[in-house]
Amino acid sequence: MTWNHFPIFVILTLLPALLGAVLAWRSPRVSKSSLVCSGVAVIVFCVFVAGLWLSLGRPPLRTLGETRLWYSLFMLIAGMWVYRREGYRWMPSISLVIATVFMIVNLLKPDLHDQSLMPALRSFWFVPHVTSYIFSYSLFGCAFLLAVLGLWQRSDAYLPSADRLVRTAFIFLTFGLLSGCVWAKQAWGTYWSWDPKETWGAATWAAYLVYVHWRLTATKHKKNEKNQQKNILSHADNAYLWLVLGFALLQMCWYGADLLPAVQDSMHRYAG
Amino acid sequence: MIRLFYLLFFLCLPLQLLLSVRPSAFSFPLNAVLAGCMVALCIVAEREWGDSVSLRSLRSLRFSCHLLGTLAFCCVAGALLPYAHIPSDPSDPTSKPFSDFAVTLPFVFLLVCILLQLTLLMVHRVRKNGWRKNTVFLLVHGGLWLALLAGFAGSADYKDLRTLLPLSSSQPSSRNGITTAYDREGRTIPLAYSLQTTGFRIKRSPADKSVVQYEADISIDCAPAQRVAVNSPLTPRWNENLYLVSYDQNNPSPTYVVVQIVRQPWRHLLLAGIVMLMLGTLLLFGRTKKTN
């Protein structure tokens, strides 16, 4: 399996995923057929990723393009999972669109996929650190979609689902952060060096932690009914805005920071 | 309390132009004493004024949100400034005011406030409900507290030294060992042992001949040599790690390697904090799943 097979696998993935998205739209309840189709799409894409891993002889996580590959995969998984748990019929469609966008970017801008892997990346922590981050990004992406919808419709109805998503995603984000700390000590001699990428990562972590704590304040202050209605909307708006901000910081941490001059000396710059 | 926090935080900004924080001024035992005083102060404050408006405000979720939001803001500011991650030398008159933002007054003040709040929260929870009922809470918040404290207070005792070891295939001898290293400012720092290399290997990828690993055999005090490679450091002493960071790359037959000696006495506490935080987060996930 090489990168030359990627276009074929994109088509083989998108077809069942599209069918699954259509079936989800058409069914008033969670459709098992939709989940099966989405599952097939995920399996097909996993086959490509696994084959690429074997042919390269290293985890395909070194370049920005390779991380986009994983994001496409995890976005499909996250969309399927959120649809199953929360029942939003539009979620498979939107997550499919996002996954497709990243696949198309990879088709148009393929990175150099060679077998080289620098010594610092040859560590047990490489795979858990990067994959847990990207999986958390996909879940936060779904939470971002809920936030946008909540802000647009001025409704707090999406907050419980967003809460569940953020709590799960935050655990993977924290694991990614801490595994990075342990790996950094092993490779560079310090758990934390305020490298620009680490700083953006800390900002992202802090922003989502604000959301978690802010949501806990929702049950703390019960005022009279008239004010309560007003407070609930403003509380919800604040919560949604933190999700939007957190997602913006996440994008900066992932690839936006690479465009800044401060990152030129960073040890976290993507290869290729 | 929130207004007071922001007032003091913004007061630190102009003060940063006049003063600078020297982490080395707070090296052991001063950092341990200050940490102990902070904990003792929080325990006494909880006992005496635990139900006061001020302490309840300090422990409040709203204050947590403000602290964490300010942390996010400081990190963004630090990440956007092109020089803010470069370690600064306070004695250098040309260094920019907010370089190395992690040791600026506003950021240090913020970290102190976060540590204070975490301490108060944990003391309050333990006093109110005991240890067992708050296991996950204490793991998560205690882990963060320990990691922050060990990283923050321990930064004063952190030393990053480098030295160059010539490559030699001869047997280790006390005459040939390197016993000094250099810190970031170029000062010579004596080592408590001698270092010698007895072997060096470069592994290349068969596909494109790129370097995939390099490793050296290093003898400490003429003892049998131990292998050190990238991601595989040595531990000569309980508070030190030895890393292989580079080699003579301009020479087809390298003649030296560069090793890094990191002295970090607080690293075990930091690692304990990381483990607690990781474990607490996983337990929280388990509890979240059950709730759902």
Side-chain angles (χ1 to χ4, degrees), chain A residues 4-6 10 36 38-39 47 72 76 88-89 100 102 105 112 132 149 164 170 185 191 197 203 211 219 243 250 269:
Chain A
N4 295 331
H5 298 103
F6 184 57
V10 166
V36 167
S38 299
V47 165
S72 304
L76 291 172
Y88 295 115
R89 292 189 293 167
T100 307
F102 279 88
V105 171
L112 188 63
S132 59
L149 210 58
R164 285 188 283 272
F170 190 76
K185 178 62 181 169
Y191 287 102
K197 189 95 165 180
Y211 174 85
T219 54
L243 286 179
L250 178 164
R269 286 198 71 197

Side-chain angles (χ1 to χ4, degrees), chain A residues 45-221:
Chain A
F45 207 69
C46 279
V47 165
F48 174 75
V49 172
L52 188 67
W53 190 328
L54 287 169
S55 73
L56 289 174
R58 61 165 179 84
L61 288 162
R62 196 194 73 190
T63 66
L64 183 57
E66 288 167 5
T67 61
R68 284 196 293 258
L69 197 72
W70 287 85
Y71 190 75
S72 304
L73 171 64
F74 287 143
M75 205 58 213
L76 291 172
I77 294 173
M80 191 170 77
W81 186 47
V82 173
Y83 171 58
R84 185 178 174 279
R85 282 182 69 99
E86 309 294 337
Y88 295 115
R89 292 189 293 167
W90 49 266
M91 188 55 82
S93 309
I94 303 294
S95 62
L96 172 61
V97 167
I98 295 171
T100 307
V101 165
F102 279 88
M103 287 181 203
I104 290 172
V105 171
N106 267 348
L107 284 169
L108 296 174
K109 201 177 175 294
D111 283 328
L112 188 63
H113 300 284
D114 57 32
Q115 292 182 333
S116 63
L117 193 66
M118 55 194 289
L121 296 179
R122 290 181 180 271
S123 168
F124 162 79
W125 294 106
F126 182 32
V127 174
H129 170 64
V130 182
T131 52
S132 59
Y133 253 116
I134 300 175
F135 185 63
S136 73
Y137 289 174
S138 63
L139 292 178
F140 282 129
C142 294
F144 167 74
L145 293 172
L146 292 175
V148 167
L149 210 58
L151 282 169
W152 184 31
Q153 295 180 356
R154 301 304 304 274
S155 165
D156 64 343
Y158 302 102
L159 278 178
S161 304
D163 285 348
R164 285 188 283 272
L165 269 174
V166 168
R167 280 177 197 271
T168 305
F170 190 76
I171 285 148
F172 284 94
L173 187 75
T174 304
F175 181 79
L177 190 85
L178 297 179
S179 58
C181 290
V182 174
W183 182 15
K185 178 62 181 169
Q186 210 176 42
W188 299 327
T190 178
Y191 287 102
W192 192 269
S193 59
W194 294 108
D195 181 77
K197 189 95 165 180
E198 292 172 1
T199 308
W200 283 108
T204 308
W205 191 77
Y208 281 111
L209 204 51
V210 172
Y211 174 85
V212 169
H213 286 78
W214 179 248
R215 286 293 294 138
L216 288 172
T217 66
T219 54
K220 290 280 179 182
H221 302 288

Side-chain angles (χ1 to χ4, degrees), chain B residues 165 197 199-201 213-219 225-235 241-245 257-260:
Chain B
L165 299 184
T197 51
F200 180 70
R201 294 166 296 283
Q213 183 61 286
Y214 48 90
E215 53 192 41
D217 300 316
I218 292 183
S219 166
Q226 300 173 70
R227 176 187 167 271
V228 61
V230 181
N231 287 314
S232 299
L234 295 180
T235 308
N241 286 114
L242 194 147
Y243 299 82
L244 183 65
V245 292
V257 295
V258 179
V259 295
Q260 176 189 21

Side-chain angles (χ1 to χ4, degrees), chain A residues 185-265:
Chain A
K185 178 62 181 169
Q186 210 176 42
W188 299 327
T190 178
Y191 287 102
W192 192 269
S193 59
W194 294 108
D195 181 77
K197 189 95 165 180
E198 292 172 1
T199 308
W200 283 108
T204 308
W205 191 77
Y208 281 111
L209 204 51
V210 172
Y211 174 85
V212 169
H213 286 78
W214 179 248
R215 286 293 294 138
L216 288 172
T217 66
T219 54
K220 290 280 179 182
H221 302 288
K222 303 272 184 202
K223 298 203 181 195
N224 62 56
E225 208 164 311
K226 182 182 170 188
N227 283 342
Q228 192 175 3
Q229 185 64 30
K230 189 176 163 188
N231 282 342
I232 284 175
L233 285 175
S234 65
H235 177 92
D237 283 344
N238 278 323
Y240 289 138
L241 286 170
W242 273 107
L243 286 179
V244 171
L245 177 66
F247 191 68
L249 291 173
L250 178 164
Q251 301 296 317
M252 279 302 295
C253 180
W254 183 11
Y255 55 81
D258 273 25
L259 305 170
L260 296 174
V263 181
Q264 304 313 311
D265 300 325

Side-chain angles (χ1 to χ4, degrees), chain B residues 11 66 85 96 126 186 200 218:
Chain B
L11 199 62
H66 282 277
H85 64 286
K96 293 182 172 63
V126 169
F200 180 70
I218 292 183

